[in-house]
Amino acid sequence: LAIPVAGRVRAIGMTTTQLERQITTKLNSGILKDARVTVQVSGYAPFYIRGEVKKPGEFPYKPGLTLGDAVALAGGYTYRADESRAYVRAAGVSVETARSLDVDRPVSPGDNIRIPERFF
């Protein structure tokens, strides 16, 4: 980010709270004495779900979203779905990771989720 009074601030990989602190520190070390900064995310990357769900596709991400929520947004499982696991490829990563659906795991913005077919 380029902030005129604070200069350049690197925001990649930071939470909103960490970014608020970094900007506040930069502002307070300059001409300001008691800067108060609030950072809000205006939009998240969508997530994608495919495979054995009724309505595969792109869906909007919301904080707190879980794999169970993602499947529900996609209309639920098909009759052929393996409901015990999902494969997740995080944004910017080329390898899928198998995740057990015994625990409702979180989804991140940009995740690509694949629900496999079960074997009889």
Side-chain angles (χ1 to χ4, degrees):
L1 302 172
I3 302 170
V5 179
R8 298 185 69 77
V9 178
R10 185 172 174 85
I12 294 174
M14 293 184 153
T15 66
T16 54
T17 304
Q18 292 169 329
L19 185 55
E20 285 173 359
R21 277 189 240 135
Q22 184 170 353
I23 294 170
T24 300
T25 300
K26 283 200 158 227
L27 288 171
N28 287 337
S29 65
I31 61 172
L32 299 175
K33 298 293 181 206
D34 188 26
R36 294 170 197 249
V37 175
T38 301
V39 174
Q40 293 180 335
V41 178
S42 62
Y44 293 94
F47 73 93
Y48 304 87
I49 187 165
R50 59 193 172 90
E52 297 302 322
V53 290
K54 293 180 182 171
K55 295 184 288 182
E58 176 184 297
F59 295 91
Y61 174 82
K62 292 183 179 150
L65 188 76
T66 64
L67 283 171
D69 298 334
V71 170
L73 285 170
Y77 297 107
T78 66
Y79 70 93
R80 293 183 304 219
D82 179 350
E83 297 181 26
S84 68
R85 67 180 182 223
Y87 293 94
V88 178
R89 184 170 39 88
V93 177
S94 61
V95 178
E96 286 183 331
T97 303
R99 295 197 182 159
S100 170
L101 293 175
D102 293 342
V103 177
D104 207 8
R105 299 176 185 264
V107 172
S108 297
D111 277 358
N112 194 311
I113 304 162
R114 181 174 59 88
I115 304 298
E117 183 177 2
R118 71 185 145 124
F119 295 102
F120 297 96

